[in-house]
């Protein structure tokens, strides 16, 4: 008996919408069995992981704070992913955005000016764009694999960050910790309440969500990029420019990631350090697919992934479990999501073995 994988004639639209819910449900079920095998009450553990973080105003503040960069980066990635332009290095673009923004914040001669923060925003976005332009150029001119190039550049960006915070930018009054001095007041986002860390940078995320929806759902360029991703041959026949899709897809995601890096440096952290990101650039890939590459779906996906980060910290404090357990949740969620997508587009058929 043999099995054959074949494409479905018409993938189910209803199942495509339900796939993130199915993947989330399976993740919860398998996680329960995992906690049970470790000797923990799965109901108590899941409550601690998913509900307890949202029972206080501080928890809700941290939830939204962590969701903001995930949603922002995922919106940028979704533009490229729709055109089959795979930017896997948003983490590196985030780092470079944070580096450039911090450099402007610390060394610009107009530190007392209200223009400092807008300058940092522009610097962060331009740095992300510049870092993404490298794989865009190589893909466009030499047909290199953007997955490998963007991923490898992430490690280069991490090394640049490490050099700066351990070397020329290290705070001389920071007790030898690898971090810069704190950003000046004019280079920081204003918090809504001094009791919490949530700040006005979330308005940038809201704007990016709206712009992403308009571009992907209401613009002709967004339509052309989507057609190029679904049916490259048809797009080529219609005269759609594949080169434009490469550049727009990578530069848009680079700008979003660079802005996210700037928001982290000028928001909750207030300085540059090796821990500028807990992996937001990679987690945003999961967010983009949970949201089905739709701007408003990405908002829900970002809130879910943010809850995983927050839940990991909560179970560490309450139950003594390692916070890295959140990464297990992320991995399972991505696995089940990809499996659901596969079964939506393909089916496995049993074929009889012919006798010779």
């Amino acid at each position: 008996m043999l099995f054959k994988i074949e494409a479905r004639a018409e993938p189910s639209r209803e199942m495509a919408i339900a796939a993130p819910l199915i993947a989330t449900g399976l993740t919860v079920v398998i996680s329960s069995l995992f906690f049970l095998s470790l000797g923990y009450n799965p109901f108590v553990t899941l409550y601690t992981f998913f509900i307890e973080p949202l029972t206080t105003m501080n928890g809700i503040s941290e939830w939204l704070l962590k969701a903001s960069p995930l949603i922002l980066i995922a919106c940028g990635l979704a533009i490229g992913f729709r055109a089959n332009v795979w930017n896997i290095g948003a983490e590196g673009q985030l780092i470079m955005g944070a580096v450039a923004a911090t450099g402007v914040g610390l060394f610009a001669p107009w530190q007392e000016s209200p223009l400092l923060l807008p300058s940092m925003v522009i610097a962060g976005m331009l740095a992300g764009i510049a870092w993404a332009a490298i794989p865009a150029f190589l893909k466009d001119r030499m047909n290199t694999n953007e997955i490998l190039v963007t991923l490898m550049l992430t490690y280069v960006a991490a090394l640049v960050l490490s050099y700066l915070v351990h070397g020329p930018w290290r705070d001389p009054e920071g007790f030898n910790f690898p971090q810069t001095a704190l950003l000046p007041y004019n280079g920081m986002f204003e918090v809504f309440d001094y009791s919490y860390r949530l700040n006005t940078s979330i308005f940038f995320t809201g704007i990016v969500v709206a712009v992403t929806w308009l571009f992907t759902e209401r613009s002709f360029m967004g339509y052309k990029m989507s057609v190029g991703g679904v049916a490259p041959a048809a797009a080529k026949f219609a005269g759609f420019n594949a080169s434009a899709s490469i550049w727009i897809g990578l530069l848009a995601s680079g700008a979003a990631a660079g802005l996210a890096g700037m928001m982290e440096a000028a928001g909750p952290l207030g300085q540059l350090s090796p821990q500028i990101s807990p992996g937001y650039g990679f987690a945003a890939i999961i967010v983009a697919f949970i949201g089905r590459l739709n701007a408003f779906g990405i908002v829900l996906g970002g809130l879910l992934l943010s809850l995983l980060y927050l839940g990991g910290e909560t179970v560490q404090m309450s139950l003594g479990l390692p916070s890295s357990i959140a990464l297990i949740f992320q991995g399972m969620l991505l696995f089940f999501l990809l499996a659901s997508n596969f079964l939506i587009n393909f089916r496995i058929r049993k074929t009889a073995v012919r006798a010779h």
Side-chain angles (χ1 to χ4, degrees):
M1 184 183 298
L2 297 176
F3 293 93
K4 178 182 179 182
I5 298 174
E6 61 180 28
R8 295 183 185 273
E10 187 175 351
S12 169
R13 181 177 178 83
E14 292 76 15
M15 287 303 298
I17 296 174
L21 298 176
I22 295 172
T24 303
L26 289 172
T27 300
V28 171
V29 171
I30 300 301
S31 299
S32 299
L33 297 175
F34 174 72
F35 289 133
L36 189 61
S37 69
L38 294 176
Y40 291 91
N41 185 320
F43 298 104
V44 172
T45 308
L46 290 174
Y47 175 86
T48 305
F49 204 103
F50 291 104
I51 306 300
E52 187 176 319
L54 305 181
T55 56
T56 65
M57 281 303 299
N58 182 64
I60 294 174
S61 168
E62 290 296 308
W63 180 42
L64 296 176
L65 184 71
K66 294 178 186 298
S68 182
L70 290 170
I71 295 168
L72 176 57
I73 299 169
C75 282
L77 292 175
I79 293 174
F81 288 174
R82 281 172 168 256
N84 280 342
V85 178
W86 305 104
N87 181 3
I88 309 301
E91 183 77 2
Q93 293 143 27
L94 180 154
I95 291 172
M96 296 308 295
V99 167
T102 303
V104 171
L106 292 177
F107 305 115
W110 55 89
Q111 290 194 0
E112 301 300 320
S113 169
L115 295 177
L116 180 63
L117 191 62
S119 301
M120 292 169 62
V121 170
I122 294 171
M125 293 180 67
L126 289 178
I129 288 173
W131 210 245
I134 299 172
F137 175 81
L138 294 174
K139 173 74 173 178
D140 184 31
R141 296 299 180 90
M142 305 176 188
N143 198 30
T144 58
N145 188 311
E146 74 275 18
I147 295 175
L148 294 176
V149 177
T150 54
L151 183 60
M152 292 300 103
L153 283 173
T154 297
Y155 297 101
V156 177
L159 291 172
V160 171
L161 170 63
S162 179
Y163 165 73
L164 291 173
V165 297
H166 284 89
W169 287 11
R170 184 165 59 184
D171 182 8
E173 299 179 1
F175 302 100
N176 215 32
F177 285 102
Q179 60 191 26
T180 66
L182 291 173
L183 289 166
Y185 176 80
N186 286 329
M188 296 282 292
F189 286 106
E190 192 73 28
V191 295
F192 293 107
D193 188 313
Y194 285 101
S195 300
Y196 313 113
R197 298 198 303 163
L198 186 64
N199 58 71
T200 54
S201 67
I202 63 170
F203 292 127
F204 281 102
T205 300
I207 293 170
V208 169
V209 169
V211 170
T212 301
W213 182 81
L214 289 172
F215 180 81
T216 56
E217 305 294 338
R218 292 293 183 266
S219 75
F220 185 52
M221 188 65 222
Y223 168 75
K224 291 196 295 184
M225 291 180 68
S226 296
V227 171
V230 175
K236 185 176 181 180
F237 180 79
F240 295 166
N241 191 343
S243 178
S245 295
I246 293 170
W247 281 95
I248 292 173
L250 284 166
L251 297 192
S253 53
L259 177 58
M262 176 272 165
M263 286 163 49
E264 285 298 293
L269 300 180
Q271 61 188 162
L272 193 64
S273 73
Q275 292 77 38
I276 191 67
S277 168
Y280 288 147
F282 295 117
I285 298 171
I286 305 176
V287 172
F289 282 107
I290 291 175
R292 317 307 293 171
L293 306 183
N294 175 275
F296 298 119
I298 284 171
V299 172
L300 299 178
L303 291 172
L304 174 60
L305 260 291
S306 172
L307 185 56
L308 293 185
Y309 276 110
L310 201 58
E313 297 172 359
T314 304
V315 296
Q316 182 181 35
M317 292 184 292
S318 300
L319 303 177
L321 288 169
S323 61
S324 56
I325 200 167
L327 298 177
I328 298 176
F329 274 80
Q330 289 182 24
M332 284 194 291
L333 183 59
L334 180 59
F335 173 79
F336 288 125
L337 187 62
L338 293 175
S340 300
N341 287 345
F342 175 81
L343 294 175
I344 289 169
N345 293 286
F346 299 91
R347 62 181 177 182
I348 302 173
R349 289 187 60 188
K350 184 169 60 176
T351 60
V353 179
R354 292 183 180 179
H356 294 282

